[in-house]
Amino acid sequence: MPVPSGQEPQDSQARQDQQDERKGPLKRFRILDLTRVRAGPTCIRQFADWGADVIKIESPEYMEVSDGWGGLRDGPDFQNLHRNKRSLTINLKDPQGRRIFLDLVKDADVVAENFRPDVKFRLGIDYETLKAINPRIVYASISGFGQDGPYAKRPGFDHIVQGMGGLMSVTGDPAHGPMRTGIAVADTGAGLYCAMAIMTALLEREVSGQGQWVQVSLLQAMIAMCDFQAARWLFLKEIPGQPGNNHPTSIPTGVYPTADGYINIAAGEQAMFRRLVNAMGVPELMEREEYSTEQGRSDNRASLNAELSALTRQRTTAEWMQRMEEGQVAAGPINRMNEVFADPQVKHLGIATPVRHRRLGDVEMVGQPFSLSRTPSQMRTAAPDRGDDTDALLRELGHTEEDIARLRREGVI
């Protein structure tokens, strides 16, 4: 049976006050967010943080359809992906629920979804249907492999696409086989590419007055993010291998052991390599024939890395970092996450951004990685509970309290 949200009135008013303070360069846009799991929410977060009115469309709780995170709504992943949004519950399979959604579409700028390609057609909320209601709508679809083609119906998961898109073949050490990355790079990349695609469509709309259908797949995003490694095949027909921690072409670039850990060094260019050997107190390495040129260092990378490693083991990471900084050598420590956010430069940049959650109290989110001088991003609200804003949004559409109570009784919201 349908269940009420159980939201406290003071919480509702507090959220409304925070939403009323919505500012930013994208404040004029309204986005209907049908996305779930990671790629889609990553995309829409870019708009929510910069002021867009993002309405997260969810199934009513009684339908037992989750966003893909199960009971982890208060966990860091969900909270980090869905901040700054409002939540509206609608049963899109119910004709009344679909009508509510289509009413929202009339004044929306963007609809975003990452259903299986056929789902939107079965629900009657595909691009052509919504375009007939609002020709200015920008409709964004994220899929695993594309909206059509031989793999269109396959489920798309980040790990699978990392393999299919070539990344795992160039990641890790050849002795240990293919290696996935430690982050969801295909999901995140697809989300960010989709955000750029939506922005492009919105800019074009200012000229044409027309929306369009934006399509992004994890597979395309993954291949695009392989970038120079993919281009090596397309241009030269070279199949890149697994370089481990070495750079494929710039030597020495990689991870070197210290007395208490590891350090990253990037010194492939002639000038940088000279700075490196001077900072390490071994300028004679530059004069050795096998190391005197970039090609020579590439051909003799194993012996050079062995000699450098023997030297770096003699001092701590902090000692080497001081020497590298004084010598203007590109180098850095390899931080665990606690060390990342303790780093003075990271603190200075302020990417750990505070927000207050009604149950969890004061928490921090990963903020935006770019800034604007006049219209900064905002961390207004934590991720909403399911249906937090249903009543308020229905009132905006002209529904009375009696209407809302009936819709809830009938399981529409």
Side-chain angles (χ1 to χ4, degrees):
M1 289 296 295
V3 294
S5 68
Q7 181 181 320
E8 294 296 327
Q10 61 267 32
D11 288 336
S12 178
Q13 186 58 53
R15 279 186 55 78
Q16 188 61 52
D17 291 344
Q18 289 168 317
Q19 289 293 345
D20 289 344
E21 294 174 2
R22 192 166 45 82
K23 301 174 183 176
L26 304 182
K27 182 179 179 179
R28 66 189 184 276
F29 296 113
R30 170 171 281 191
I31 298 177
L32 305 183
D33 179 14
L34 293 162
T35 68
R36 55 197 300 275
V37 190
R38 186 179 310 283
T42 296
C43 167
I44 301 306
R45 179 175 58 191
Q46 293 304 109
F47 296 87
D49 285 3
W50 296 96
D53 180 16
V54 175
I55 301 172
K56 179 172 171 54
I57 308 296
E58 305 188 69
S59 298
E61 192 167 353
Y62 79 90
M63 295 179 70
E64 297 182 349
V65 178
S66 79
D67 185 72
W69 301 113
L72 301 177
R73 199 175 187 103
D74 285 353
D77 216 352
F78 188 97
Q79 290 292 318
N80 198 48
L81 285 167
H82 294 287
R83 75 266 186 126
N84 291 335
K85 298 180 182 181
R86 298 197 280 173
S87 173
L88 169 67
T89 53
I90 310 175
N91 180 357
L92 288 171
K93 297 179 180 179
D94 186 296
Q96 296 179 87
R98 182 173 176 272
R99 279 198 296 274
I100 292 170
F101 179 75
L102 296 181
D103 282 344
L104 287 167
V105 168
K106 294 174 184 177
D107 294 318
D109 297 283
V110 178
V111 170
E113 58 86 19
N114 58 350
F115 298 129
R116 293 190 311 276
D118 61 317
V119 170
K120 54 184 160 287
F121 296 100
R122 288 194 282 105
L123 291 174
I125 57 170
D126 55 279
Y127 172 62
E128 291 297 331
T129 298
L130 302 194
K131 177 184 174 183
I133 296 169
N134 178 358
R136 292 174 54 82
I137 201 74
V138 172
Y139 192 104
S141 295
I142 300 179
S143 61
F145 302 100
Q147 294 298 307
D148 46 33
Y151 300 162
K153 293 184 178 180
R154 289 189 184 183
F157 287 88
D158 178 88
H159 190 153
I160 305 301
V161 174
Q162 284 193 34
M164 294 180 67
L167 181 63
M168 289 175 66
S169 74
V170 295
T171 303
D173 191 299
H176 298 96
M179 181 70 66
R180 68 182 291 275
T181 64
I183 61 172
V185 64
D187 277 340
T188 301
L192 294 176
Y193 279 123
C194 190
M196 288 193 289
I198 292 170
M199 289 286 194
T200 303
L202 289 172
L203 285 170
E204 192 279 337
R205 191 181 72 173
E206 293 180 0
V207 177
S208 68
Q210 299 293 308
Q212 52 189 308
W213 188 7
V214 169
Q215 300 178 32
V216 178
S217 74
L218 271 65
L219 183 59
Q220 289 168 293
M222 187 71 269
I223 295 169
M225 293 185 75
C226 284
D227 196 43
F228 76 94
Q229 295 283 44
R232 286 172 67 185
W233 166 253
L234 292 175
F235 267 69
L236 305 173
K237 302 309 176 187
E238 291 180 2
I239 301 176
Q242 292 172 277
N245 284 320
N246 288 313
H247 190 278
T249 58
S250 180
I251 308 300
T253 297
V255 177
Y256 297 88
T258 66
D260 62 349
Y262 296 89
I263 189 172
N264 262 322
I265 297 172
E269 297 179 355
Q270 288 293 88
M272 189 64 75
F273 185 65
R274 187 177 299 279
R275 292 179 198 171
L276 173 66
V277 295
N278 287 337
M280 297 183 75
V282 286
E284 63 273 13
L285 282 183
M286 188 75 184
E287 309 309 319
R288 299 233 314 248
E289 182 178 355
E290 64 268 37
Y291 303 148
S292 62
T293 66
E294 292 183 27
Q295 187 60 52
R297 293 192 292 276
S298 183
D299 293 341
N300 297 281
R301 67 174 65 197
S303 60
L304 176 58
N305 282 336
E307 292 195 51
L308 294 177
S309 294
L311 292 166
T312 56
R313 284 190 180 95
Q314 297 173 14
R315 298 179 185 275
T316 66
T317 299
E319 289 172 323
W320 280 123
M321 280 307 305
Q322 182 176 350
R323 283 183 169 232
M324 299 300 175
E325 191 162 348
E326 291 171 353
Q328 295 186 314
V329 179
I334 298 174
N335 291 329
R336 294 172 295 178
M337 279 301 165
N338 60 317
E339 296 166 323
V340 169
F341 289 101
D343 185 281
Q345 184 65 28
V346 175
K347 287 184 174 181
H348 171 76
L349 293 170
I351 196 167
T353 309
V355 69
R356 183 160 187 82
H357 188 280
R358 69 175 68 157
R359 288 184 302 278
L360 305 176
D362 294 324
V363 295
E364 290 182 313
M365 305 290 178
V366 181
Q368 283 291 328
F370 65 92
S371 60
L372 302 181
S373 61
R374 288 189 296 102
T375 53
S377 61
Q378 281 185 299
M379 194 72 74
R380 299 181 307 278
T381 61
D385 282 349
R386 191 197 301 245
D388 256 348
D389 308 283
T390 297
D391 290 17
L393 283 162
L394 290 176
R395 290 188 203 104
E396 289 179 20
L397 289 173
H399 290 269
T400 65
E401 298 300 325
E402 291 75 16
D403 289 336
I404 296 170
R406 177 185 58 78
L407 290 169
R408 184 164 280 116
R409 284 196 306 272
E410 294 177 1
V412 178
I413 60 174

